[in-house]
Amino acid sequence: MRVRLNNVSKNFDGTMVVKNLNLNIEDGEFMALLGPSGCGKTTTLLMIAGIYRPSEGTIEFDGRIVNRVPAKDRHLGMVFQSYALYPHMTVYENLAFPLTIQRKPKTEIRREVIQMAEMLGLTEVLDRKPGMLSGGQQQRVALGRALIKKPRLLLFDEPLSNLDARLRVTMRAEIKRLQKELSITTIYVTHDQTEALTMADRIAVMRDGALEAVGPAEMLYERPPTLFTAEFIGHPPMNLLDVALEERGEEVYARLGALLLKIPRSRTPRRFASRVKMGIRPQHVTLARQGGYPAKVYLIEPQGNQDVIICDIEGAHVSLVAAPHHNLTMGDMVNIAFHMENAHFYESDSGRSLL
Amino acid sequence: MEKLSEWTTRIALVLILVVVTLPILLGYAWLLISTFSLRTFGLMPVNARGELGGFTLRNWSFLKDPLIWQVTINTLVFALGITVGVVFLSALAGYALSRMSFPGRRFTLTLTLLLHAFPSITLLLAIYFVLRWISAVPIIGGLLGYNTLGGVTLVSTAMQLPLGIWLMKGFFDNVPWDMERAALIDGCSRLRAWWAIILPQIRPGIFALAIFSFIQGWGYYSFLIPYSFMIDQTRSTISTYLNNMISTTSPVNYGQVAAVGLFQLIPVLLFFLLAQKSLLRIFSGGTKGAA
């Protein structure tokens, strides 16, 4: 099912929670709504679900405006962060509930539930109440309950945030595989960029109720269109440094304190702004044997496969990723090199990309 | 040394509890003993000469009177009527006040609380006129008007509603929103979600309210309204029946009064024995097992 949001806004008692949202979700697409808590992503999801009605704008399913269609008639399934299982029903009854409401014949319900339980590995626990299940099993029941009525649209509201780290990785893969197999249009709300990056076809980054950027993971990672996106996506977070742009003859430089960093042609800002932030990912700053610029090691964060080293340079903190076993300690002097072919430039005030 | 002080604290605690509970226990003991005695001297049943003895079943002879059974059925209908009415209306109103936004919601909430604090005796005169007026309406008047069991049930239900609504609202407030949203998305209407998903979560609360309402209807607390608005003896409830026994001009047979009182107590005791578990569970919250 194609989902389209046209200028959708929502205000609660005068507070604008979602502002003028425009978003297209293609049939079979996996779209992640990514943003910090309180950015309006769950409100947006609940509007699509039919729980909230938009204050302004329209929501279309396959070209039909559904603003006034109640949730029960929207043919969708939803998985909640709290799972929202019905505690007074067994797993079997939970899974059967959407079909019972549809007054499907008992034998058909039985077949569907057993099939779903097999697919999700819940056959053993069908007679148990949700309170007796582990977090992962509850999550699977919630998923099964959303899938069993063969919805045309699947909604997820931070479904993995109550699971422990290992289970989260497993479930992430499982949900993605299921979504691809069933090719149901999916909207997935999360504040975890890893989930969004690994699972979604496209990511919509939201901030303060407004859409900040939309695009596939690689696009948002490699060319974040706004300062906020640059900051929010990628781990460790991108370095953002206040610089001044200087033109010297044919060449353009970024001035960081006393340092002059040459900007390659491919990365030269389209226009100059008075206050500019240069963004460069920690992966694109390296320890240099020769050349580079002197910096002082401020902090070392080992991460097993790599170490994040935060350096003091020209009054700014720059983090870089280095292989372990570097024998550095806090306070050491190092030389670091900026790989300027990967630098980004943003106007500080508007946050817009200058590339 | 430590063990000793622990023991003294424990003994002191038990002593305090015994002292506090004793008057109540003595009261019940007297009630039980006097129903089977001609008269009592303290807790001791005595005969005419003041010696131990004088056991009798005479006090229970009222059970042979058909009127008591009529009165018992009246009381049962009355109490069950209040229970069903209060639970049903409170569950609906409490849900609306907890979950829906509508103009006047805050005002209704405040008004409900205010009504709860309002002394109902002051309304007796007004209620009298209302019931008289209902009596004048054909058909309905015979069921819900003045001097009918229906009318008295209606008024008593109304008196109980503010408390019931507040209680129910509190329970509904504790049911997670997500569960209701899930029900709506799974295909329920609002009413169906209320009935199939939300109500089962607050079952202990409903149980508690039902018990309180029943006891209110059955016991002496609801005496005032049946007493004021039902003049026929055959339509009276146990509490008014008891009152008649005390207030007649002939000497009061306290043994018999005690027997009727005990008779009235039996269903309540049974109720409590059966419902003890659910009553205690109220305090552990209504959403057990919810993740």
Side-chain angles (χ1 to χ4, degrees), chain A residues 241 256 261 278 280 284-285 293 313 318 336-340:
Chain A
L241 309 161
L256 173 67
L261 304 165
M278 181 179 91
I280 187 156
H284 300 139
V285 183
Y293 305 95
I313 184 166
V318 172
I336 62 174
F338 294 91
H339 298 258
M340 294 299 286

Side-chain angles (χ1 to χ4, degrees), chain A residues 309-324:
Chain A
I309 300 174
I310 303 172
C311 301
D312 243 336
I313 184 166
E314 294 293 326
H317 283 167
V318 172
S319 37
L320 63 93
V321 171

Side-chain angles (χ1 to χ4, degrees), chain A residues 52 82 86-88 101 138 149, chain B residues 178 181 185-187 196 201 291:
Chain A
Y52 293 152
S82 62
Y86 310 130
H88 60 297
I101 296 288
Q138 292 189 14
K149 57 179 175 175
Chain B
D178 274 357
R181 288 173 183 153
I185 287 169
D186 279 348
Q201 309 314 318

